[in-house]
Each structure stands twice: as structure tokens, then as C-alpha cells.
Amino acid sequence: MTALYDRELAPSGLKLTQYSLLATLRREGGDAGLAVSGLAAAMDMDRTTLTRNLRPLLDQGLVELGADESDARVRRARITPRGHAVFGKAMPYWRVAQDFVNRTLGEGDVAALHGWLDRVTPAFRLESMGNESMATRNSWIFVLAAAAILMVTMGTRQSMGLFLSPLNTHTGLGIASISFAMAIGQFVWGAVQPIFGAVADRWGPGRVIVFGSLLLTVGCALTTQVTSEWGLIVAIGVLSAAGAGAGSFSILIGATAQHVPTERRSFAGGVINAGGSLGQFIFAPLNQAILSAFGWMQAMWMMAAVALTTAPMAWWLRGRPRSPLAAGTPAAELTLRQQLKIAARDRSYWCLHAGFFTCGFHIAFLVTHMPGEVNLCGLNANVAATSLAIIGLANIGGSLAAGALGSRMRMKHILFWMYASRAVAILAYLAAPKEPWTFYLFSAVLGATWLATVPPTAGLTAKLFGTRYLATLFGLTLLSHQIGGFFGAWLGGVAVVSNGNYLWMWWADAALALGAAIVNLPIREARPTPVRAAA
């Protein structure tokens, strides 16, 4: 029966459930709309099922959610002018299907059918609640698998700075040349993300992650064998970086966004991001310990072996991505090229790029040259490894907090305070005595925002353009992030070779952080809908 209505409604771009939701909102909601709990009761649906069915209508702009004027905890669903127009277009098609049912069954059989549905609906509702509970559990398994993959790929990437001095001793190429190879890696890691993101949007993230696992393993293994600048550029700058990029933010967050309810996406992004921070917390001291006890080659071989573990974890992320929109809807017909043109004309999207550029500059400079800064201060190499581990540990809390706050306050304001706090932290570091406790405290403060910028940046991208091409669009912001990362890693090496210290890099970093804070304020963003609800 449903298939009959769906077939007749297809030219309007709606399915029967979506048509029924619009009809209920028109009939019972009026201008004020309906509380979500009231809409669920009117549709005889549980809240999870209702949220899933509302998602395509929200993404197309046919329905909007807002807080109740008398109780901000209550969410109300309202049909938009565009929703009224689409409903009007769909009504004649619905009548054709309804007339066919009435003619075929007759009034008596139609009444009997309605009576039977009234009797069996409670039983189906109980079964549906069980299925939805299972779907929710599966979506969080999906998120945890993504977090575990990011733990490996980010742990590997963020430990590379520990190998700068050993590689210089082994190859004799000089700090600037090795920094340049690592800077190329920063750029390549960002450059591959929109490419791999587009592949994942088309064919699914699983095979992309497996391919990346192989690239990362080969890159780490090859690093132990090369002694030329070009060899390091290929091993570290291309293979390792591309492999880590194939299992990084844009692919993982883009994939999970389509399996997690809209109001939970920000927190899910925080959980995934925390996985990357946990990787830094584990890999930095682990690599330093192996490096000190057995040598840098053994530490690099260990990373090559661990990189292979992401391939079996990709099983949880297998399959093609599903569009959150119904087939046949006008929004579902939007191609990647069309979406990119829309994004390119959006000032808010470019503000995200500008802020993320600074974030990349800052992170790449520190993760590459923190060991060098510690060495210039006459401190033990373990201080650098411990500092990187503290950054990772602090960022676990920062990422989870950023993800949770994204459901309660505007994400652009979260980004503003994060970038502003970095500028303050850098200035405080420059004024402080260079003792181990200074580095540890500095790392804890920075760690709170280190990669915690990712959930709100990804969340804003999804808010602006939806989730269908999120892996590609967020991947492009990561490209800007890594262009900044290229300059942060490379110019740090240039600074220390030219001046014998990193002083002007610290001042540039502070100025850029302040600029990033300001540039996020003009971003177009509606107030978030409260997630706790007695609605």
C-alpha cells in the first residue's frame, strides 16, 4: 500500500510518510507549529522514528525546528513557505492514489482496513522501538570505530616531530630540509582529504580507509630506508601523509554524520576527535620510549605495523553512503559540482577556511618544532614527548566539551573563544621562564583547544550545506588547514636556521590566532535547538 502512494507521489519529491508529516503540521500546527512530542503522538511514532523521518524535510527546508516561546526546552516543528508549496504540489498526486484505493477496495473494505491498522499499530510500535534502539546502538559503534581509526592515524602523524633530530643525525640533510619534507606532508595530508572525501561520498569510506592503511604502512617502512631529501619527501611527505589523510577527519566525520541524529552530530564529532587526541597521548611517549631504548628505526617500524590495524576496523564503515534526503527530491538532485559552486559563493564558508588555515599553522608548527624548542631551552627530550602527550590528553576533554557545547551554543562562538585563548596562551608562554613546568602547563592549556576546533568546524559545514557532501566540503576546509600547516612546519625550520630560535614564529602564531578568532564572528549560524527536551 505504501509503495503505491510513494509511486504516485514521486513527481512531487515526497514519500508518503513525509507527505503525512506535512499534512499533520498544516492541519494541526498552524503558524505556531507543533511540539515535537505532539507531532510524534499525532503521527503515532516514537521520537527516534520521527526524528529520522523529519531529517529529509529539515534538510530541504520544508520544515523548521525552533524553541517554544514559553518554554525554551520544548522544540516546535513548523512547516515553512516552501513546505506549503511542495505540499500543494503533492496533494493532487496523493488524491490519485487515494481514489485508486477507494475504487479498488470499496468503502467497506477501506473502513475494515483502518480498523485492522488501529488494532495492530501498538504491536508494531513496540517492535519499532526495539529496532530503533538497536539502530542507535549501531550508530555509536560506528562512531567508536571511527574514533579508533583516528587514534592510529593521528597518533602516527602527531609523533613525527620526535623523529626530526634522529633523521637529521642519520641522513645529515639538515633541519630545514627535513622540516620541508614534513611540511610537504602537512600539505598532502590536507590535499588528499577532499579527494578521498569525494571517493567516500561516492563509493563509501571503507575501501578508502583500507587503501590509506596500506599507504601509511609503506610510508613509515620506507622512511627507515631513504637518506635523500627526495626520498624523505616521498616517504613522509607523500605516502605517510596521504595514508593518514585517508583515515582522517573528513572521511570519518562525514561518514558518521549520516548515521547519527542531527542533534547528536556535534557530540559524535567530539568523540571521534577525542580518539585522535588519545592517539597523540599514547603514541608520543610510546615512540619516545622505543626511540630511546631501541633507536628511531624500530619506533618507525612499530608505527608501520600499527598502521595496518586500521584496515580491519574499516569493516564497520563499509558500504556506500546513503543520502539523508529522499530519492527524487529536488535537494537530492544536487550534484557535487553544484554543491561546490554554492559553497564557493558563501562568505561564511570562506571564514571557516580562514580560521582553519590559522589552526593548521599553529598545530603543525608546534607538533614539528616543539622538540626543537625544548632542545633550545636546554631541557631533556622527554620534556617534548611529555608535552605532546599532555596536549593529547587535554584535548580529549576539550574535544568532548566542544562536541557537547555545539548542541547548546553557537559553534562560531566556540571557535572564537578557542582561537582567542591560544593567542593569550602563546603570549603567556613567551613571558614565562622556560622550565619543564612551563611547557607542561602551556601544553595543557593549548591541548584543551588543540584539535577541539574540528567538531564545531565540521558542525558548521554540515549546518551550512547538509551532510550529503560533508566529507568533500569539510575535506576542503582541512586542505586550507594543511596549507597553513605547510607554512607552520616549513617556516619554523627556516626561522631556527636563520635566527637560531623560533621567536618571530611565536609572535606570528599569536597574531594569526587573534585574527582567526575575529574572522569566525561573521559566520552565518542560527541559534542551536536545545536537545534536552520535555517536548
Side-chain angles (χ1 to χ4, degrees):
M1 185 72 73
T2 301
L4 167 67
Y5 281 92
D6 285 345
R7 186 174 65 248
E8 293 296 335
L9 285 167
S12 71
L14 295 176
K15 292 191 173 183
L16 177 60
T17 305
Q18 296 160 358
Y19 177 88
S20 300
L21 280 167
L22 293 178
T24 302
L25 286 172
R26 277 171 57 98
R27 183 177 64 251
E28 300 184 21
D31 293 335
L34 276 178
V36 172
S37 58
L39 181 59
M43 292 294 298
D44 209 4
M45 290 180 179
D46 61 85
R47 290 287 297 274
T48 307
T49 304
L50 177 65
T51 299
R52 188 187 67 231
N53 284 293
L54 271 177
R55 193 180 306 168
L57 300 177
L58 292 167
D59 288 338
Q60 296 174 74
L62 307 183
V63 172
E64 62 184 6
L65 284 177
D68 189 275
E69 293 182 0
S70 59
D71 187 349
R73 297 172 301 170
V74 176
R75 290 182 300 165
R76 300 189 75 85
R78 302 174 182 87
I79 186 169
T80 65
R82 184 181 176 191
H84 283 292
V86 171
F87 181 84
K89 176 184 174 183
M91 186 179 293
Y93 299 111
W94 178 84
R95 285 176 176 159
V96 170
Q98 186 70 16
D99 289 344
F100 176 81
V101 170
N102 289 335
R103 288 196 310 271
T104 304
L105 298 180
E107 291 184 7
D109 286 342
V110 169
L113 176 61
H114 281 297
W116 178 81
L117 289 173
D118 289 340
R119 291 193 298 274
V120 301
T121 294
F124 282 131
R125 188 187 302 119
L126 289 174
E127 182 179 354
S128 173
M129 290 172 66
N131 291 339
E132 292 301 327
S133 176
M134 179 67 73
T136 300
R137 286 197 297 271
N138 288 341
S139 70
W140 285 105
I141 292 173
F142 205 92
V143 169
L144 292 176
I149 292 169
L150 192 63
M151 179 184 72
V152 174
T153 59
M154 287 301 292
T156 301
R157 278 193 72 251
Q158 302 286 47
S159 300
M160 277 297 175
L162 298 173
F163 294 87
L164 186 61
S165 180
L167 279 169
N168 183 39
T169 303
H170 176 71
T171 63
L173 292 172
I175 296 295
S177 295
I178 300 170
S179 294
F180 182 73
M182 291 185 175
I184 292 290
Q186 294 288 342
F187 174 76
V188 169
W189 183 81
V192 300
Q193 295 216 35
I195 298 170
F196 283 140
V199 174
D201 282 335
R202 178 71 182 274
W203 289 291
R207 61 195 73 187
V208 172
I209 294 166
V210 171
F211 180 62
S213 171
L214 299 176
L215 285 179
L216 182 54
T217 299
V218 172
C220 289
L222 187 60
T223 302
T224 65
Q225 306 300 312
V226 298
T227 55
S228 67
E229 183 175 359
W230 278 106
L232 284 179
I233 288 174
V234 171
I236 295 175
V238 177
L239 294 176
S240 294
S248 197
F249 297 109
S250 64
I251 285 83
L252 299 173
I253 292 179
T256 55
Q258 299 186 30
H259 295 264
V260 176
T262 304
E263 65 273 13
R264 297 296 179 192
R265 284 179 195 155
S266 179
F267 184 70
V271 172
I272 295 170
N273 201 55
S277 302
L278 181 61
Q280 183 173 333
F281 173 69
I282 293 172
F283 276 69
L286 178 60
N287 271 312
Q288 184 62 50
I290 296 175
L291 197 149
S292 300
F294 303 105
W296 74 270
M297 286 191 181
Q298 285 69 24
M300 191 65 74
W301 277 110
M302 182 273 296
M303 289 205 296
V306 172
L308 282 174
T309 63
T310 61
M313 286 189 277
W315 184 85
W316 292 101
L317 299 144
R318 71 195 187 281
R320 294 192 176 191
R322 63 186 185 189
S323 170
L325 306 178
T329 64
E333 295 169 3
L334 200 65
T335 65
L336 176 59
R337 184 187 297 272
Q338 291 169 330
Q339 182 65 85
L340 290 174
K341 287 181 178 178
I342 292 171
R345 294 193 295 266
D346 195 305
R347 187 183 67 172
S348 295
Y349 188 53
W350 287 110
C351 288
L352 278 178
H353 277 264
F356 228 30
F357 171 91
T358 295
C359 182
F361 180 95
H362 170 83
I363 286 177
F365 166 57
L366 286 176
V367 82
T368 305
H369 296 288
M370 175 77 83
E373 175 77 358
V374 168
N375 184 56
L376 287 173
C377 295
L379 300 174
N380 189 282
N382 287 326
V383 173
T386 304
S387 297
L388 291 174
I390 290 172
I391 288 173
L393 182 62
N395 195 235
I396 294 173
S399 296
L400 293 174
L405 286 173
S407 303
R408 294 169 172 80
M409 62 184 292
R410 290 181 179 176
M411 295 181 190
K412 67 177 183 178
H413 293 156
I414 298 174
L415 291 171
F416 169 83
W417 288 112
M418 283 183 176
Y419 290 128
S421 71
R422 288 182 183 182
V424 173
I426 293 167
L427 295 176
Y429 165 77
L430 290 175
K434 302 306 179 283
E435 301 291 340
W437 67 264
T438 303
F439 282 93
Y440 299 152
L441 182 59
F442 180 55
S443 298
V445 174
L446 285 183
T449 68
W450 184 250
L451 289 171
T453 55
V454 171
T457 303
L460 278 170
T461 306
K463 275 188 173 183
L464 290 170
F465 308 111
T467 62
R468 176 62 184 91
Y469 297 112
L470 180 59
T472 306
L473 292 171
F474 182 50
L476 287 169
T477 67
L478 282 165
L479 173 57
S480 294
H481 185 279
Q482 292 314 114
I483 292 173
F486 170 84
F487 286 109
W490 176 48
L491 292 178
V494 172
V496 76
V497 170
S498 302
N499 305 317
N501 58 57
Y502 296 104
L503 183 59
W504 70 263
M505 282 292 292
W506 287 115
W507 286 109
D509 197 10
L512 285 171
L514 184 59
I518 295 170
V519 82
N520 274 277
L521 291 177
I523 291 174
R524 183 182 77 256
E525 182 188 10
R527 291 183 182 276
T529 305
V531 234
R532 67 183 187 279

XYZ file of all heavy atoms in Angstrom, residues 347-427:
606
model
N 30.120 33.363 1.929
C 31.145 34.047 2.717
C 31.440 33.309 4.021
O 32.588 33.264 4.488
C 30.694 35.481 3.033
C 31.766 36.317 3.707
C 31.254 37.688 4.067
N 30.231 37.629 5.116
C 29.723 38.690 5.736
N 30.127 39.897 5.394
N 28.805 38.549 6.670
N 30.423 32.725 4.628
C 30.628 32.004 5.881
C 31.579 30.830 5.697
O 32.405 30.532 6.574
C 29.285 31.504 6.427
O 28.450 32.579 6.789
N 31.470 30.164 4.553
C 32.343 29.024 4.281
C 33.799 29.478 4.182
O 34.706 28.817 4.692
C 31.892 28.350 2.991
C 32.587 27.043 2.674
C 32.641 26.014 3.604
C 33.170 26.838 1.426
C 33.261 24.813 3.302
C 33.782 25.644 1.112
C 33.832 24.628 2.052
O 34.454 23.439 1.744
N 34.031 30.633 3.570
C 35.396 31.144 3.451
C 35.928 31.618 4.795
O 37.136 31.541 5.058
C 35.458 32.258 2.412
C 35.337 31.721 1.014
C 34.289 31.875 0.152
C 36.291 30.906 0.328
N 34.518 31.210 -1.023
C 35.749 30.603 -0.951
C 37.540 30.401 0.659
C 36.428 29.832 -1.877
C 38.216 29.617 -0.270
C 37.659 29.351 -1.522
N 35.070 32.108 5.666
C 35.508 32.456 7.023
C 35.974 31.208 7.769
O 36.970 31.253 8.518
C 34.367 33.132 7.786
S 33.995 34.811 7.249
N 35.269 30.093 7.584
C 35.716 28.833 8.175
C 37.099 28.452 7.669
O 37.967 28.011 8.427
C 34.720 27.712 7.849
C 33.470 27.581 8.710
C 32.606 26.446 8.184
C 33.822 27.330 10.163
N 37.297 28.609 6.357
C 38.600 28.294 5.763
C 39.701 29.148 6.381
O 40.787 28.648 6.705
C 38.555 28.538 4.252
C 37.974 27.407 3.470
N 38.743 26.442 2.862
C 36.693 27.074 3.199
C 37.966 25.570 2.245
N 36.710 25.935 2.431
N 39.447 30.445 6.538
C 40.464 31.355 7.066
C 40.854 30.983 8.496
O 42.043 30.945 8.846
C 39.949 32.796 7.013
N 39.863 30.693 9.337
C 40.166 30.304 10.704
C 40.913 28.986 10.770
O 41.858 28.821 11.563
N 40.521 28.042 9.921
C 41.147 26.723 9.946
C 42.569 26.773 9.394
O 43.412 25.953 9.758
C 40.284 25.749 9.151
C 40.027 24.454 9.876
C 39.977 24.399 11.252
C 39.819 23.274 9.172
C 39.743 23.208 11.925
C 39.584 22.080 9.832
C 39.551 22.051 11.211
N 42.854 27.718 8.481
C 44.218 27.922 7.995
C 45.144 28.226 9.172
O 46.231 27.662 9.308
C 44.248 29.066 6.979
C 45.634 29.503 6.581
C 46.279 28.925 5.493
C 46.300 30.498 7.295
C 47.563 29.328 5.131
C 47.577 30.903 6.940
C 48.214 30.318 5.853
N 44.699 29.140 10.031
C 45.491 29.514 11.203
C 45.665 28.342 12.155
O 46.737 28.125 12.725
C 44.818 30.687 11.927
O 44.834 31.818 11.067
C 45.525 31.018 13.218
N 44.608 27.568 12.333
C 44.675 26.392 13.200
C 45.755 25.431 12.701
O 46.554 24.908 13.478
C 43.313 25.698 13.232
S 43.244 24.259 14.326
N 45.807 25.217 11.391
C 46.814 24.329 10.820
C 48.225 24.856 11.008
O 49.152 24.096 11.320
N 48.406 26.164 10.806
C 49.712 26.792 11.002
C 50.209 26.546 12.418
O 51.354 26.142 12.648
C 49.591 28.302 10.723
C 50.871 29.075 10.881
C 51.680 29.328 9.785
C 51.262 29.558 12.120
C 52.868 30.042 9.926
C 52.443 30.266 12.282
C 53.253 30.510 11.177
N 49.331 26.773 13.359
C 49.650 26.673 14.776
C 50.016 25.235 15.163
O 51.059 24.984 15.788
C 48.414 27.152 15.551
C 48.445 26.909 17.003
N 49.083 27.739 17.893
C 47.913 25.905 17.752
C 48.934 27.265 19.112
N 48.231 26.163 19.051
N 49.175 24.277 14.774
C 49.378 22.884 15.185
C 50.624 22.297 14.536
O 51.430 21.629 15.189
C 48.122 22.062 14.845
C 47.006 22.413 15.825
C 48.422 20.568 14.897
C 45.697 21.725 15.547
N 50.811 22.556 13.225
C 51.969 21.986 12.540
C 53.276 22.564 13.076
O 54.277 21.849 13.206
C 51.856 22.242 11.039
N 53.277 23.850 13.376
C 54.480 24.464 13.944
C 54.846 23.792 15.270
O 55.999 23.399 15.494
C 54.252 25.967 14.146
C 55.271 26.628 15.018
C 56.623 26.571 14.702
C 54.894 27.307 16.176
C 57.576 27.171 15.520
C 55.829 27.912 16.988
C 57.175 27.844 16.671
N 53.880 23.619 16.126
C 54.163 23.055 17.445
C 54.506 21.567 17.383
O 55.454 21.116 18.032
C 52.969 23.280 18.371
C 52.796 24.719 18.863
C 51.536 24.844 19.700
C 53.996 25.173 19.670
N 53.741 20.802 16.610
C 53.971 19.364 16.607
C 55.296 19.021 15.929
O 55.933 18.009 16.244
C 52.787 18.625 15.931
C 52.901 18.632 14.408
C 52.685 17.195 16.442
N 55.742 19.875 14.997
C 57.017 19.637 14.324
C 58.192 20.189 15.118
O 59.260 19.573 15.185
C 57.006 20.283 12.919
O 55.876 19.803 12.189
C 58.270 19.934 12.152
N 58.016 21.343 15.743
C 59.167 22.050 16.323
C 59.153 22.139 17.848
O 60.062 22.750 18.417
C 59.253 23.455 15.711
C 59.518 23.419 14.239
N 60.739 23.064 13.712
C 58.699 23.652 13.170
C 60.681 23.102 12.387
N 59.448 23.457 12.036
N 58.158 21.561 18.500
C 58.198 21.513 19.961
C 59.482 20.835 20.472
O 60.133 21.351 21.396
C 56.960 20.800 20.512
C 56.959 20.595 22.019
S 56.551 22.091 22.950
C 54.752 22.018 22.862
N 59.881 19.673 19.898
C 61.151 19.080 20.355
C 62.344 20.020 20.171
O 63.231 20.082 21.029
C 61.286 17.825 19.481
C 59.880 17.476 19.114
C 59.200 18.802 18.929
N 62.361 20.775 19.060
C 63.453 21.718 18.831
C 63.440 22.860 19.831
O 64.490 23.290 20.317
N 62.263 23.380 20.161
C 62.146 24.449 21.139
C 62.620 23.973 22.511
O 63.336 24.693 23.227
C 60.691 24.929 21.215
C 60.402 25.960 22.290
C 60.872 27.364 21.926
O 61.468 27.540 20.843
O 60.645 28.282 22.732
N 62.233 22.759 22.880
C 62.681 22.192 24.159
C 64.203 22.066 24.182
O 64.861 22.385 25.181
C 62.006 20.817 24.397
C 62.666 20.075 25.555
C 60.522 21.004 24.666
N 64.770 21.622 23.076
C 66.226 21.468 22.983
C 66.942 22.819 23.106
O 67.970 22.934 23.784
C 66.583 20.801 21.663
C 68.076 20.524 21.545
O 68.661 19.865 22.393
N 68.691 21.047 20.499
N 66.391 23.866 22.449
C 66.987 25.194 22.533
C 66.964 25.741 23.956
O 67.801 26.560 24.331
C 66.256 26.163 21.601
C 66.502 25.987 20.095
C 65.582 26.899 19.299
C 67.965 26.272 19.755
N 66.004 25.293 24.734
C 65.904 25.740 26.131
C 66.786 24.910 27.055
O 66.788 25.116 28.284
C 64.458 25.672 26.601
S 63.358 26.812 25.734
N 67.545 23.951 26.487
C 68.471 23.147 27.286
C 67.801 22.091 28.132
O 68.377 21.642 29.132
N 66.604 21.653 27.732
C 65.871 20.662 28.512
C 65.953 19.283 27.869
O 66.258 19.151 26.675
C 64.405 21.090 28.650
C 64.174 22.444 29.335
C 62.708 22.815 29.283
C 64.676 22.429 30.777
N 65.637 18.250 28.643
C 65.697 16.870 28.179
C 64.635 16.608 27.110
O 63.547 17.182 27.141
C 65.484 15.927 29.365
C 65.753 14.477 29.011
O 64.931 13.823 28.389
N 66.932 13.986 29.403
N 64.941 15.702 26.143
C 63.999 15.382 25.065
C 62.690 14.813 25.596
O 61.640 14.934 24.950
C 64.640 14.395 24.092
N 62.721 14.189 26.785
C 61.491 13.633 27.357
C 60.466 14.722 27.676
O 59.261 14.452 27.737
C 61.803 12.844 28.627
C 62.487 11.525 28.319
O 62.203 10.913 27.292
N 63.393 11.095 29.188
N 60.946 15.960 27.880
C 60.016 17.065 28.144
C 59.126 17.292 26.923
O 57.916 17.548 27.052
C 60.788 18.355 28.505
C 59.839 19.547 28.618
C 61.560 18.158 29.799
N 59.728 17.192 25.713
C 58.950 17.370 24.486
C 57.918 16.262 24.321
O 56.746 16.521 24.002
C 59.869 17.414 23.275
N 58.352 15.011 24.535
C 57.419 13.886 24.400
C 56.291 13.991 25.417
O 55.116 13.757 25.094
C 58.162 12.565 24.568
N 56.636 14.354 26.653
C 55.607 14.508 27.687
C 54.658 15.646 27.351
O 53.436 15.540 27.553
C 56.265 14.764 29.058
O 57.169 13.698 29.349
C 55.220 14.854 30.157
N 55.207 16.743 26.807
C 54.369 17.886 26.429
C 53.370 17.500 25.350
O 52.183 17.859 25.418
C 55.245 19.043 25.951
O 56.088 19.506 26.974
N 53.828 16.758 24.334
C 52.922 16.314 23.273
C 51.855 15.375 23.826
O 50.689 15.417 23.405
C 53.712 15.628 22.157
C 54.622 16.531 21.317
C 55.461 15.706 20.347
C 53.795 17.561 20.555
N 52.244 14.527 24.778
C 51.266 13.620 25.395
C 50.232 14.403 26.199
O 49.032 14.092 26.171
C 51.983 12.612 26.287
N 50.690 15.436 26.913
C 49.758 16.271 27.685
C 48.780 16.975 26.758
O 47.580 17.086 27.064
C 50.542 17.289 28.546
C 51.269 16.570 29.679
C 49.610 18.355 29.118
C 52.223 17.450 30.456
N 49.278 17.463 25.627
C 48.386 18.094 24.644
C 47.293 17.122 24.229
O 46.102 17.461 24.194
C 49.185 18.567 23.409
C 50.040 19.782 23.760
C 48.242 18.919 22.261
C 50.987 20.216 22.653
N 47.697 15.883 23.919
C 46.711 14.882 23.508
C 45.710 14.565 24.602
O 44.501 14.460 24.353
N 46.197 14.414 25.831
C 45.307 14.087 26.947
C 44.326 15.223 27.205
O 43.117 14.992 27.380
C 46.137 13.810 28.202
C 45.349 13.409 29.451
C 44.607 12.098 29.208
C 46.275 13.280 30.652
N 44.846 16.475 27.229
C 43.958 17.612 27.472
C 42.936 17.761 26.364
O 41.795 18.185 26.608
C 44.785 18.891 27.601
N 43.327 17.400 25.137
C 42.403 17.583 24.033
C 41.275 16.561 24.016
O 40.258 16.776 23.361
C 43.138 17.559 22.698
C 42.307 18.101 21.555
O 42.102 17.452 20.540
N 41.775 19.301 21.734
N 41.449 15.451 24.714
C 40.329 14.502 24.836
C 39.161 15.206 25.521
O 38.025 15.198 25.033
C 40.759 13.252 25.629
C 41.818 12.470 24.854
C 39.546 12.361 25.913
C 42.418 11.315 25.634
N 39.467 15.846 26.654
C 38.419 16.605 27.345
C 37.932 17.780 26.524
O 36.732 18.055 26.463
N 38.873 18.480 25.865
C 38.488 19.628 25.045
C 37.587 19.245 23.898
O 36.616 19.943 23.587
N 37.895 18.118 23.240
C 37.082 17.667 22.098
C 35.671 17.282 22.538
O 34.685 17.633 21.891
C 37.755 16.472 21.418
O 38.994 16.839 20.873
N 35.587 16.533 23.645
C 34.265 16.129 24.140
C 33.456 17.345 24.580
O 32.250 17.423 24.327
C 34.428 15.141 25.300
C 35.033 13.773 24.936
C 35.286 12.948 26.192
C 34.134 13.014 23.972
N 34.135 18.300 25.227
C 33.438 19.514 25.655
C 32.963 20.322 24.460
O 31.828 20.814 24.436
C 34.353 20.364 26.539
N 33.813 20.454 23.436
C 33.421 21.200 22.232
C 32.249 20.528 21.536
O 31.323 21.198 21.069
C 34.609 21.321 21.276
N 32.268 19.190 21.479
C 31.160 18.479 20.859
C 29.858 18.660 21.613
O 28.798 18.849 21.018
N 29.940 18.615 22.954
C 28.734 18.794 23.767
C 28.218 20.227 23.692
O 27.009 20.463 23.577
C 29.020 18.412 25.217
N 29.134 21.207 23.733
C 28.716 22.614 23.680
C 28.103 22.973 22.335
O 27.280 23.886 22.252
C 29.924 23.519 23.957
C 30.406 23.583 25.403
C 31.707 24.367 25.494
C 29.335 24.213 26.296
N 28.491 22.247 21.276
C 27.950 22.544 19.951
C 26.454 22.356 19.848
O 25.816 22.890 18.938
N 25.881 21.597 20.776
C 24.424 21.403 20.801
C 23.720 22.470 21.616
O 22.492 22.527 21.639
C 24.086 20.019 21.379
O 24.709 19.005 20.646
N 24.499 23.321 22.305
C 23.900 24.272 23.237
C 24.196 25.733 22.912
O 23.457 26.607 23.333
C 24.392 23.970 24.661
C 23.900 22.618 25.170
C 24.613 22.223 26.456
N 24.012 21.026 27.041
C 24.264 19.798 26.634
N 25.105 19.596 25.640
N 23.671 18.760 27.203
N 25.306 25.984 22.228
C 25.637 27.360 21.888
C 26.132 27.424 20.448
O 26.415 26.388 19.841
C 26.685 27.926 22.854
C 28.020 27.202 22.840
S 29.203 27.832 24.080
C 29.561 29.462 23.441
N 26.187 28.626 19.906
C 26.621 28.777 18.520
C 28.070 28.321 18.367
O 28.944 28.704 19.138
C 26.464 30.223 18.073
C 25.006 30.629 17.921
C 24.881 32.047 17.446
N 23.477 32.418 17.280
C 23.061 33.622 16.939
N 23.944 34.588 16.738
N 21.782 33.879 16.812
N 28.298 27.543 17.339
C 29.627 26.978 17.142
C 30.648 28.052 16.778
O 31.831 27.919 17.103
C 29.572 25.899 16.058
C 28.730 24.707 16.441
S 28.692 23.441 15.158
C 27.404 22.359 15.793
N 30.220 29.110 16.113
C 31.175 30.172 15.776
C 31.698 30.850 17.040
O 32.850 31.304 17.076
C 30.532 31.186 14.838
C 29.396 32.008 15.429
C 28.891 33.020 14.413
C 27.798 33.924 14.990
N 27.354 34.930 13.981
N 30.882 30.915 18.083
C 31.344 31.492 19.337
C 32.321 30.555 20.047
O 33.277 31.018 20.694
C 30.157 31.801 20.247
C 29.285 32.903 19.715
N 27.956 33.041 20.062
C 29.541 33.914 18.845
C 27.443 34.096 19.434
N 28.391 34.625 18.693
N 32.093 29.253 19.920
C 33.053 28.286 20.460
C 34.411 28.482 19.796
O 35.458 28.529 20.459
C 32.551 26.845 20.243
C 31.233 26.610 20.994
C 33.606 25.838 20.692
C 30.602 25.264 20.711
N 34.403 28.622 18.464
C 35.655 28.817 17.731
C 36.326 30.133 18.115
O 37.556 30.202 18.247
C 35.394 28.776 16.223
C 35.010 27.409 15.659
C 34.570 27.529 14.203
C 36.180 26.435 15.778
N 35.537 31.183 18.306
C 36.102 32.476 18.691
C 36.903 32.346 19.985
O 38.056 32.785 20.072
C 34.994 33.513 18.868
C 35.465 34.793 19.507
C 36.063 35.780 18.744
C 35.332 34.994 20.874
C 36.520 36.950 19.336
C 35.775 36.164 21.474
C 36.376 37.148 20.703
N 36.304 31.742 20.994
C 36.970 31.653 22.294
C 38.163 30.704 22.237
O 39.175 30.922 22.935
C 35.981 31.224 23.368
C 35.013 32.315 23.706
C 33.664 32.344 23.452
C 35.316 33.565 24.331
N 33.123 33.519 23.869
C 34.111 34.303 24.427
C 36.497 34.132 24.823
C 34.053 35.563 24.994
C 36.442 35.393 25.391
C 35.237 36.095 25.464
N 38.084 29.667 21.432
C 39.229 28.761 21.301
C 40.440 29.479 20.717
O 41.559 29.409 21.255
C 38.856 27.566 20.417
C 38.004 26.521 21.098
S 37.704 25.145 19.990
C 36.806 24.050 21.087
N 40.239 30.159 19.588
C 41.370 30.829 18.936
C 41.898 31.976 19.799
O 43.112 32.194 19.882
C 40.958 31.341 17.562
C 40.728 30.245 16.550
C 39.542 30.180 15.812
C 41.688 29.274 16.307
C 39.332 29.176 14.872
C 41.480 28.262 15.381
C 40.296 28.219 14.667
O 40.097 27.230 13.752
N 41.012 32.720 20.440
C 41.452 33.822 21.303
C 42.283 33.292 22.475
O 43.299 33.903 22.857
C 40.253 34.603 21.819
N 41.876 32.159 23.048
C 42.627 31.601 24.179
C 44.023 31.163 23.749
O 44.979 31.223 24.542
C 41.866 30.418 24.784
O 41.878 29.297 23.922
N 44.177 30.736 22.500
C 45.507 30.350 22.013
C 46.440 31.558 21.966
O 47.617 31.463 22.342
C 45.396 29.734 20.618
C 44.780 28.365 20.586
C 44.754 27.823 19.180
N 44.101 26.524 19.113
C 43.980 25.809 18.008
N 44.467 26.287 16.870
N 43.384 24.635 18.025
N 45.927 32.689 21.487
C 46.752 33.900 21.432
C 47.231 34.279 22.834
O 48.411 34.611 23.039
C 45.964 35.044 20.795
N 46.327 34.217 23.801
C 46.685 34.549 25.184
C 47.723 33.562 25.722
O 48.703 33.952 26.389
C 45.429 34.558 26.080
C 45.807 34.729 27.543
C 44.476 35.660 25.646
N 47.538 32.267 25.445
C 48.454 31.241 25.942
C 49.864 31.431 25.376
O 50.865 31.266 26.092
C 47.932 29.855 25.596
N 49.959 31.769 24.092
C 51.277 31.968 23.471
C 51.990 33.164 24.086
O 53.194 33.106 24.399
C 51.130 32.141 21.950
C 50.650 30.825 21.320
C 52.446 32.580 21.314
C 50.170 30.971 19.889
N 51.282 34.253 24.293
C 51.883 35.440 24.895
C 52.337 35.146 26.326
O 53.409 35.609 26.758
C 50.898 36.604 24.867
C 50.518 37.114 23.468
C 49.449 38.206 23.574
C 51.736 37.639 22.721
